[in-house]
Amino acid sequence: MTVSAKVAVCRGKDAPFTIEDATLDALRPDELRVRIVACGVCHTDLAVRDGQLPVPLPIVLGHEGAGIVEAVGSAVTAAKPGDRVLMSFNSCGDCPSCAVEAPTYCYNFFPHNWSGTRADGSPTLFRDGAPLHANFFGQSSFATHAIAHQRNVVVVPESAAAIPLERLAPLGCGLMTGAGAVLRSMKVRAGMPVAVFGTGTVGIAAIMAARIAGANPIFAIDINDDRLALARELGATHTVNARDDVAAAIRAACPAGLGYALDTTGIARVIEGAFDLLAPKGKLAMVGASGPEATLAFNETAFMGQGRTVMGVLGGDSDIGPFLHELIDLHVAGRFPFERLIGYFDFDAIDAAVHASETGSVVKPVLRITPE
Ligand code: CXF
Ligand code: ZN
């Protein structure tokens, strides 16, 4: 059976998103059809719109979808019709990374997330009878309905029945990335100093996670004073405007250096500066996107001689289901109050939501698409 949907079509950098009629393909055995209630806007959506990632245009973006399952293929066990679900990235389930529950590093990430079609090349979406690129992160949730997959949906537990899906939607990317970098990738230890460079969704999620881990002190660094004030309310013990002498401020409070540093900016000199601030055995994780030509330089003596670790991190090393449940439990317990980051927009105000993300007036814009 095919199903009609309204979808927001992205045609590139200089074009507005346009809401158009489309038709979903029939479900395959391992797929689900989800009515989308809400979807967060992530910087990766905008990087694709701007041609910075190898994703074909025009396409239907959106990869922080939350909704209600309407139908499932014959082999689906992950959810059933009527379930409230979150969607995240997709993965193959067969490669060496997926075999060790590290699906963010799936060897087949591109065909399952960024090819604009299913991994076998078939389209999931049509407009006027012709294929339209979709299946972005295995969902394309800037739409009233999406085809998702057995491996990228997570059922919201009963314990969160009172939490609206429109609030939970961003867990599937930005929030899990920041929290996972702290709790899963670096495994931050209680009582150790942490610095987070950049206070967008990922950075503030990391700061909240650092507080959960018992880190101390927790530095937030950014050029935006409003964001720094929010970071302080949500866990930062120290804030530093990046226009000031960041190294001096951190060294004054932490003469031995940082146990952990997280870069969300992707700026080489910020990353190198963070490395220079590490204590012995210190860990530096990088989650920010840099240009394709970017390289980094670290002092070898400090690197080896102090047993430091530098790690690239994708998606907070999330294994999706278990980690999203852990974050939902923390939210229900009031320890991960990410609702403070969200600003809501109607679906047809998608360009305003994107603008709010780009200007920084809203940390995490979320589109309200159909009523829960
Ligand atoms: C992704 C990167 C690959 C793993 C999941 C999260 N980031 C999206 O914005
Ligand atoms: Zn994202």
Side-chain angles (χ1 to χ4, degrees):
M1 186 179 88
T2 56
V3 165
S4 304
K6 296 260 184 221
V7 301
V9 180
C10 168
R11 293 196 166 72
K13 194 173 171 49
D14 300 315
F17 284 80
T18 51
I19 298 192
E20 303 181 24
D21 291 312
T23 309
L24 268 56
D25 194 23
L27 292 181
R28 298 278 171 90
D30 63 341
E31 293 177 344
L32 307 86
R33 189 176 73 244
V34 179
R35 174 172 63 80
I36 307 296
V37 168
C39 186
V41 176
C42 171
H43 288 293
T44 304
D45 296 307
L46 309 185
V48 169
R49 177 202 62 182
D50 296 349
Q52 292 162 7
L53 292 168
V55 176
L57 302 180
I59 191 168
V60 179
L61 300 173
H63 62 283
E64 293 180 345
I68 313 281
V69 177
E70 283 192 340
V72 299
S74 58
V76 170
T77 55
K80 58 183 188 319
D83 281 348
R84 306 167 79 225
V85 292
L86 305 184
M87 281 161 280
S88 191
F89 63 97
N90 200 15
S91 54
C92 76
D94 293 324
C95 72
S97 290
C98 288
V100 295
E101 319 301 339
T104 63
Y105 310 101
C106 175
Y107 284 32
N108 301 303
F109 194 88
F110 179 85
H112 284 273
N113 291 277
W114 286 359
S115 60
T117 64
R118 291 187 182 91
D120 68 5
S122 62
T124 55
L125 200 63
F126 298 86
R127 190 190 36 189
D128 297 330
L132 176 61
H133 293 306
N135 201 37
F136 185 59
F137 281 87
Q139 46 181 298
S140 288
S141 288
F142 290 162
T144 56
H145 298 77
I147 291 180
H149 305 262
Q150 166 93 326
R151 284 185 60 79
N152 75 328
V153 298
V154 177
V155 176
V156 176
E158 251 328 281
S159 56
I163 314 280
L165 285 171
E166 65 180 26
R167 188 192 303 169
L168 298 173
L171 282 168
C173 186
L175 294 168
M176 78 176 186
T177 294
V182 166
L183 298 173
R184 293 177 63 86
S185 315
M186 295 196 289
K187 298 184 174 46
V188 165
R189 284 162 53 201
M192 295 293 283
V194 177
V196 176
F197 294 81
T199 55
T201 301
V202 173
I204 295 188
I207 287 163
M208 290 190 280
R211 178 164 70 178
I212 290 164
N216 189 51
I218 301 171
F219 296 91
I221 300 104
D222 204 304
I223 51 171
N224 181 326
D225 286 321
D226 293 339
R227 294 272 176 106
L228 290 174
L230 181 61
R232 189 179 277 271
E233 286 180 43
L234 295 176
T237 59
H238 296 62
T239 55
V240 189
N241 191 300
R243 296 197 170 92
D244 298 336
D245 189 341
V246 174
I250 291 177
R251 287 222 177 276
C254 270
L258 295 167
Y260 306 90
L262 175 67
D263 176 72
T264 71
T265 72
I267 300 168
R269 90 184 135 66
V270 174
I271 300 169
E272 290 165 356
F275 176 87
D276 290 340
L277 289 165
L278 291 178
K281 288 297 278 178
K283 295 182 181 180
L284 165 63
M286 296 180 281
V287 302
S290 307
E293 311 298 332
T295 56
L296 297 166
F298 300 124
N299 177 269
E300 197 273 343
T301 303
F303 200 167
M304 181 277 289
Q306 295 198 354
R308 299 181 184 183
T309 301
V310 176
M311 54 175 89
V313 174
L314 274 181
D317 285 316
S318 301
D319 52 5
I320 306 199
F323 190 50
L324 291 190
H325 280 171
E326 192 179 325
L327 293 179
I328 290 170
D329 288 348
L330 286 164
H331 179 68
V332 170
R335 300 178 64 201
F336 191 49
F338 60 81
E339 74 281 3
R340 298 284 311 278
L341 312 185
I342 296 176
Y344 293 104
F345 295 80
D346 290 338
F347 188 27
D348 59 9
I350 182 169
D351 285 319
V354 165
H355 185 69
S357 171
E358 290 178 311
T359 61
S361 65
V362 175
V363 181
K364 172 53 70 178
V366 170
L367 299 174
R368 288 178 161 141
I369 299 181
T370 68
E372 182 167 356

